[in-house]
Amino acid sequence: MSRGSRLFHLLVIVSTGCVVLLVLLAFHSETPETAPYGTYVDRSVEETGATNRVAGVYLNYRLYDSLLEVLVFFVAVLGVRHYLGTRERAEIPTLAESEVVRTSAALLFPLALLLGVYLATLGQISPGGGFGAGAVAASGVLLASIALGIDAIERRLRRTTIERIERGALLVFLLLTLLPLPLGRPAMSDLLPKGSPGAVLSGGAIPLYNTLIALKVLAGSWLILRSFVRHRGEI
Amino acid sequence: MAFSAGIVLLGIGLVAIAIRRDLVIKLLALGLANAGSILCLVAIGDRPEARVPICAVCRDAVYADPLPQALVLSAIVINFAILALALVFVMRLVEHYHSTDSRRIEGLVQRDLREGGRS
Amino acid sequence: MIARYALLALLPIVAVAALSQRRRLAAIIGMGLFSFLLAVVYLLLHAPDVALTEATIGAALITAIYVLAIRRTGRLAVVADEAPGLLAREGDRIVGLEYEILDRFARHLGLDLSVQIVPHRDVAESVRCGEADIGGGGLVPSGGEGALATRQHLETALFTIGGRGTEAGAESPTVRYDGCFADLDPQALYTGETGVTLDLARFLAVRRSETPDESVLRHPHRLGYAFLVSGRRRALHSELDAYLEGLRDSGELDRLIRRFLA
Amino acid sequence: MIVVVLPLSHFVLGLFCYAGKRAARALAAVGWCLGAALTVFLMLETRDGSTVTVVLGGWSPGLGIELRFDAFAAVFFPLVLLLELAVILYVRKDDHRPLFYALLQFLLGAVFALLLTQDLFNTYVILELLTLVSFLLVGYERRPAQIWASLKYLVLASIGMSLFLIGIAVVYRHTGTLNLHLLADALSSSGDARWVALAGALLTAGVAVKAGLFTFSLWLPAAHSEAPSAISALLSGLVIKMGIVVFLRLSQLFPLELTLQVLGAATALLGAVYAAYAIDLKRMLAFSTLSQIGYLVLGMAIGTPAAIVGVLGYAVAHGLFKGLLFLAAGEASAVVGSGQFRDLAARRAEIPNATVGALLIGTLGIVALPPLAGFAAKAVLLTSHPGPFIMAVFALTSVGTTFAFSKLLPVFRFRREPKRKSARLAAYSVLSTPILFFIPLAAAAFPGLRLSPSAWPLLVLESVGAIAVGVLLHRLTERRAPRLPGSIFFLEESTLAILIGLLLVYALLRG
């Protein structure tokens, strides 16, 4: 390494060290014991009907954040499609996969989908949520593409229908948040009755939003993975 | 304590971005830096002997604060989106410049700009 | 709460270990493990939703994308340093005698050729650790070092462009493993204060850029350029050897040499 | 309640853009009309200085996310609409794919959302969306140089955003809320605790990467000069101002005067120097954006309400003429084939007169020739009695800008029989008219704005003096262009610069 770059490395390490020390000292200098936590602690179950209070926050109080976040994901999928789209290779050289991988992948695929459905629909009473559900289902479909080969999967899940599903889910999500406006209520306020906490159909519109997000993240992740596989060949 | 671990991870990530020359390793380091900041955000939501914030009647015990956890869900998915896009860009760069060394690519880009004028 | 502190201490260690790997695949697997550890830490911080999301997206999807991104299926990965005339970058294309040979060889195998330019001291290492299939760029292998060298495909000779540094009768430079024997530093040639030993391809390039006529010393013994193939890929090695043999017999090799190095 | 419709409608329209290429263009026009109607309605509502406030979901401000249409938004919305209209007209002829229009709608939706939001984490998510969309638009034409510039931009912006996230963590840990107004009270009561300086430093560093401040935004010159010209106009005219808007909000929370003064001065001077010696038009414009951002941030450092009005006015004025300059520069470089000054001057005949006219109006605007936009806004700034140091940097930056833009003088020669007509006259006129008639338009939109007539002669003298000095300097030092260090714009050095910037900001906040 030339002298210049060794000096540069030293400078980087020293300045990062200072930043880390500075942040730690300043943060731990006076940490209040009873931090004035947000007022979500007690009333969120009654107001949102969701016993999983995290779902209550990001799908009811702060639904606007989740909406913008799903948009970020949608823009990412558009970007991957745009930059990888032109380089697709017609024939995908399938690798001689050992039989063990094929059967185990085929076996795990339905399990992953089942877990995805569970997490998506019961996000308001048990830990789960749309993002995790979509991701689990997408990795399940990736497993299936390993087992059966991408062409087999593409015949059933054609790209255009997947894209239509993704845009449809996002559109319904956007319109649902605007729906209360014509009814005279503030935007993003609750649509469905809350139901009794802990029941399957509780939490007002939260299960609906959760399912929409799961559908959107599943379609989006699969489109990203599909573009990568089309462009780079099988795993 | 977890907050400190998050800050240390951020530091490691930034050092690796500045030092390692390979673009793929830089992106891994970027993922690490973002994970560090996310760990900080989750860490402040936790409290001594807290419980998981899922409860039908939430009076009797101390619960972890659900808000940071809700914020972090979005942050994780945003980082996934950014990494996926950055990787696609690195793949395009490798196809054109045949190298993933950021210094070499920078040199080639500057030379192309000097020669090619503007468009 | 020992588990919490142990895991928190383990996180930076795994991270540093993962990021200091030389090979990309090892770094990616390391970061996959790191994401999984992070998910467990989130569980200890009473955040199951976040743990689930981090595990699925962080560990599973991000790792899958990285593996796909650096995936080389369906491609013949060649790693080389630039050697004028043999394998050099021109605009955004790569041209040269070795590139032409390898491009035809890749089509012969039904694969895409992907060339990656690295400093010549990394070529042998990349081929040996399997990150690349073939090493090129005007290499003159001496000893077998875990990488098999194919048959010589082009005669070469060593030229020392004199300078006060090396007296005329100095014994020939120890023939080392890498291609151009000395970093080709144009300034050093013009100032002439250090003697630079060059192989044929780079010597021709230097002549074309009309350096002043210093004393030129041609070293006697016979040498030749060759490709490097990883010791574990014997099939590829014999395939490449046979292909080179075919090129030489059909006289195609001489035509290519005239075209690129005349 | 319609406040939330503005951003969301743009997102919905962005989705519908995929119906087809012709539909995408039509939807862009529909989107603009909808935006214009809502803006006019909102501005009429807040004419008497009141604000339109809504908390999404009907919750209390401490729980839900609060959106507010206030003075900042009232100033920026017209700028957004004007630039949107100009870009739509500019790209009318070339057939972009639906993706381009979809990303355009998302970009504008995100800008509207950021101008309205009063929530810290919401600002984070919107800035990320803004980063991603502008990252995709910069690299839209997929040329390798563009892809490299946008990759560097993404990595650095992502680092900035993780610092911002840690800032949010610290603030929430100590105050328990994310709403800006509740935060303002909580922070004012907690005095100068160490964590306030830490949170301020982290948040400021995060936003500074986006806002184009000196040590933090070394990605800006490459990104703005490499992007397609319509996108550069939006980036330099609008997206970079979003950083300024967030700074204005943060300066209500944290004592940022000293920090803004130092960073602003450094950015202004660095930008002016690099702009002075740039040999390529779009690169010079990008560097001049850097210096104008420094100018704005310095204006904010003055801190008096009049200065804030001046900063807002100049931000709008800069958005107008920088957008116009980038649009005209794009067409000129496309026609001539290369953006270098000597090629533009040599092949002046090929550039249509309308484009040269647009370049002229933009240049006159930015060098602050009296009655134009630049002069009016700078006048408000100069009369809010800034300190001597800030005054000196203002003068230096103005001279530097004039010095840089006087390289365009050889291009401003009128030719009677132009070879080709510019197809983008409509786009230029949309931006030129507000630049030329800035003072009457501003008086109509904001009746409360009055400038003391006694100060006019002095201000006119100062502006004309600065222009004269700049042109003179350019004449004298025509030959000797020093070699400026290019390596500070590399990815590794920029990362180091962000770290050093963070330390600097913390020291200034504690100092």
Side-chain angles (χ1 to χ4, degrees), chain A residues 174-222:
Chain A
L174 278 167
L175 295 179
L176 273 181
T177 54
L178 285 173
L179 195 59
L181 269 180
L183 310 178
R185 290 215 308 280
M188 300 188 192
S189 54
D190 233 341
L191 301 170
L192 302 172
K194 276 195 256 309
S196 62
V200 170
L201 277 179
S202 65
I206 290 183
L208 183 59
Y209 286 133
N210 246 338
T211 326
L212 281 174
I213 291 182
L215 212 56
K216 163 71 189 71
V217 169
L218 163 63
S221 310
W222 171 242

Side-chain angles (χ1 to χ4, degrees), chain A residues 52 117-129 199-201 207 210:
Chain A
N52 176 359
V117 168
Y118 167 75
L119 293 177
T121 49
L122 296 179
Q124 77 283 5
I125 49 175
S126 72
V200 170
L201 277 179
N210 246 338

Side-chain angles (χ1 to χ4, degrees), chain B residues 10 14 17-18 26 34 37 41 44 65 67 71 78 82 85 89 93 96-97 102-103 106 113 118-119, chain D residues 121 128 132 135 144 147-148 150 152 158-159 162 166 169 172-173 226 280 337 339 490-493 499:
Chain B
L10 176 79
L14 293 182
I17 287 177
K26 270 195 209 291
N34 290 334
S37 57
L41 196 53
I44 64 159
D65 185 352
L67 186 106
L71 306 183
I78 286 175
I82 284 182
L85 269 176
F89 270 35
L93 284 173
H96 190 269
Y97 292 113
S102 72
R103 267 297 192 264
E106 183 74 43
L113 287 185
R118 176 49 55 211
S119 46
Chain D
F121 185 76
E128 287 279 8
L132 217 58
F135 157 76
I147 290 185
W148 175 241
S150 39
K152 282 196 285 187
S158 188
I159 292 173
S162 43
I166 297 179
Y172 183 76
R173 177 74 172 78
E226 287 303 321
D280 174 271
F490 290 172
L491 184 56
E492 292 81 8
E493 279 76 357
L499 286 168

Side-chain angles (χ1 to χ4, degrees), chain B residues 1-2 5 8-9 12 16 20 22 24-25 27-29 32 35 38-39 42-43 46 50-53 64 69 72-73 76-77 80 83-84 87 91 96-100 104 108 111, chain C residues 4-5 8 11-12 15-16 19-22 24 27-28 31 34 38 41-42 44-50 53-54 57 61-62 65-66 69-70 82 89 92 94 115-119:
Chain B
M1 182 48 200
V8 167
L9 290 180
I12 295 172
R20 284 302 298 261
D22 186 293
V24 176
I25 307 278
L27 290 186
L28 282 171
L32 177 70
I38 288 172
L39 178 57
V42 175
D46 186 30
R51 288 174 41 194
V52 173
Q69 299 178 18
V72 153
L73 282 179
I76 290 179
V77 178
F80 167 66
L83 277 179
L87 261 177
M91 281 157 67
H96 190 269
Y97 292 113
H98 302 293
S99 159
T100 58
R104 178 182 288 269
L108 293 173
R111 204 178 57 182
Chain C
R4 175 196 284 234
Y5 292 120
L8 284 180
L11 281 179
V16 168
L19 287 182
S20 52
Q21 291 293 327
R22 233 196 64 65
R24 287 198 289 259
I28 292 168
M31 286 309 289
F34 171 82
L38 197 56
V41 166
Y42 288 146
L44 292 177
L45 291 174
H46 311 293
D49 288 77
V50 178
T53 309
E54 172 66 24
I57 290 188
L61 282 188
I62 285 187
I65 286 187
Y66 268 108
I70 69 165
E82 289 199 69
R89 197 175 172 284
D92 61 7
I94 290 190
V115 178
Q116 184 152 0
I117 295 181
V118 292

Side-chain angles (χ1 to χ4, degrees), chain D residues 58-300:
Chain D
W59 307 108
S60 68
L63 283 171
I65 297 169
E66 182 188 349
L67 301 182
R68 175 177 297 198
F69 182 86
D70 54 5
F72 293 158
V75 168
F76 273 102
F77 271 39
L79 172 66
V80 176
L81 290 172
L82 282 173
L83 278 173
E84 178 184 359
L85 184 59
V87 167
I88 290 175
L89 291 174
Y90 188 83
V91 295
R92 194 163 30 110
K93 286 293 179 303
D94 29 7
D95 58 349
H96 284 293
R97 298 152 52 120
L99 173 74
F100 181 87
Y101 289 96
L103 290 179
L104 198 61
Q105 295 290 347
F106 287 142
L107 184 79
L108 295 163
V111 164
F112 281 125
L114 187 70
L115 286 169
L116 295 171
T117 180
Q118 308 293 322
D119 185 275
L120 210 50
F121 185 76
N122 204 272
T123 311
Y124 167 79
V125 179
I126 295 173
L127 282 178
E128 287 279 8
L129 178 60
L130 219 52
T131 304
L132 217 58
V133 172
S134 17
F135 157 76
L136 283 181
L137 283 173
V138 165
Y140 179 71
E141 287 161 354
R142 291 184 278 201
R143 280 185 288 109
Q146 263 178 353
I147 290 185
W148 175 241
S150 39
L151 183 63
K152 282 196 285 187
Y153 169 44
L154 183 75
V155 170
L156 294 172
S158 188
I159 292 173
M161 281 300 114
S162 43
L163 295 180
F164 193 85
L165 200 61
I166 297 179
I168 291 177
V170 171
V171 160
Y172 183 76
R173 177 74 172 78
H174 288 276
T175 61
T177 175
L178 290 172
N179 186 300
L180 288 180
H181 306 290
L182 302 179
L183 267 178
D185 324 331
L187 283 170
S188 54
S189 66
S190 65
D192 59 355
R194 284 169 65 107
W195 65 268
V196 173
L198 173 66
L202 286 166
L203 291 173
T204 314
V207 178
V209 174
K210 279 292 296 170
L213 284 185
F214 164 54
T215 51
F216 298 95
S217 296
L218 296 173
W219 53 266
L220 190 136
H224 283 208
S225 56
E226 287 303 321
S229 49
I231 302 306
S232 304
L234 271 177
L235 286 182
S236 275
L238 194 59
V239 176
I240 214 71
K241 302 293 183 317
M242 292 308 110
I244 301 295
V245 167
V246 180
F247 259 120
L248 283 170
R249 297 232 171 84
L250 286 182
S251 55
Q252 286 155 5
L253 301 181
F254 302 99
L256 286 178
E257 279 69 25
L258 190 56
T259 321
L260 292 180
Q261 199 162 341
V262 169
L263 286 182
T267 315
L269 296 179
L270 172 100
V273 165
Y274 269 86
Y277 295 109
I279 55 169
D280 174 271
L281 177 55
K282 282 183 83 170
R283 228 170 147 68
M284 185 270 281
L285 290 178
F287 280 124
S288 107
T289 299
L290 208 60
S291 95
Q292 299 298 316
I293 292 292
Y295 198 98
L296 283 170
V297 167
L298 262 178
M300 266 198 289

Side-chain angles (χ1 to χ4, degrees), chain D residues 179-440:
Chain D
N179 186 300
L180 288 180
H181 306 290
L182 302 179
L183 267 178
D185 324 331
L187 283 170
S188 54
S189 66
S190 65
D192 59 355
R194 284 169 65 107
W195 65 268
V196 173
L198 173 66
L202 286 166
L203 291 173
T204 314
V207 178
V209 174
K210 279 292 296 170
L213 284 185
F214 164 54
T215 51
F216 298 95
S217 296
L218 296 173
W219 53 266
L220 190 136
H224 283 208
S225 56
E226 287 303 321
S229 49
I231 302 306
S232 304
L234 271 177
L235 286 182
S236 275
L238 194 59
V239 176
I240 214 71
K241 302 293 183 317
M242 292 308 110
I244 301 295
V245 167
V246 180
F247 259 120
L248 283 170
R249 297 232 171 84
L250 286 182
S251 55
Q252 286 155 5
L253 301 181
F254 302 99
L256 286 178
E257 279 69 25
L258 190 56
T259 321
L260 292 180
Q261 199 162 341
V262 169
L263 286 182
T267 315
L269 296 179
L270 172 100
V273 165
Y274 269 86
Y277 295 109
I279 55 169
D280 174 271
L281 177 55
K282 282 183 83 170
R283 228 170 147 68
M284 185 270 281
L285 290 178
F287 280 124
S288 107
T289 299
L290 208 60
S291 95
Q292 299 298 316
I293 292 292
Y295 198 98
L296 283 170
V297 167
L298 262 178
M300 266 198 289
I302 305 172
T304 61
I308 298 298
V309 170
V311 164
L312 290 177
Y314 193 71
V316 172
H318 177 265
L320 292 175
F321 44 68
K322 189 48 70 67
L324 181 64
L325 280 168
F326 261 113
L327 291 181
E331 187 177 13
S333 329
V335 161
V336 162
S338 117
Q340 317 260 346
F341 283 110
R342 41 182 167 64
D343 300 341
L344 288 172
R347 289 203 287 276
R348 159 70 187 84
E350 290 166 34
I351 308 176
N353 282 346
T355 318
V356 172
L359 278 176
L360 182 63
I361 293 174
T363 310
L364 294 181
I366 204 165
V367 297
L369 186 75
L372 266 74
F375 165 74
K378 279 187 178 173
V380 175
L381 264 177
L382 294 181
T383 53
S384 61
H385 21 76
F389 169 69
I390 293 183
M391 196 57 142
V393 178
F394 275 171
L396 269 177
T397 319
S398 309
V399 169
T401 310
T402 319
F403 183 95
F405 274 88
S406 50
K407 282 182 269 193
L408 275 173
L409 285 182
V411 178
F412 296 139
R413 291 193 314 275
F414 186 72
R415 301 197 52 77
R416 251 158 322 288
E417 9 65 40
K419 281 218 179 74
R420 57 168 62 82
K421 285 213 29 65
S422 158
R424 294 181 165 88
L425 188 61
Y428 298 146
S429 53
V430 160
L431 288 179
S432 311
T433 36
I435 295 178
L436 294 173
F437 312 105
F438 189 79
I439 297 179

Side-chain angles (χ1 to χ4, degrees), chain D residues 2-19:
Chain D
I2 52 166
V3 168
V4 80
V5 167
L6 206 51
L8 292 187
S9 58
H10 276 279
F11 296 142
V12 170
L13 286 175
L15 269 175
F16 280 122
C17 277
Y18 271 82

Side-chain angles (χ1 to χ4, degrees), chain C residues 14 24 30 48 63 74 79-80 116 122 137 143 156 166 181 183 186 222 248:
Chain C
V14 170
R24 287 198 289 259
T63 312
V79 64
Q116 184 152 0
D122 295 342
T156 181
T166 59
F181 298 95
D183 285 339
R222 314 251 31 80
R248 187 184 307 282

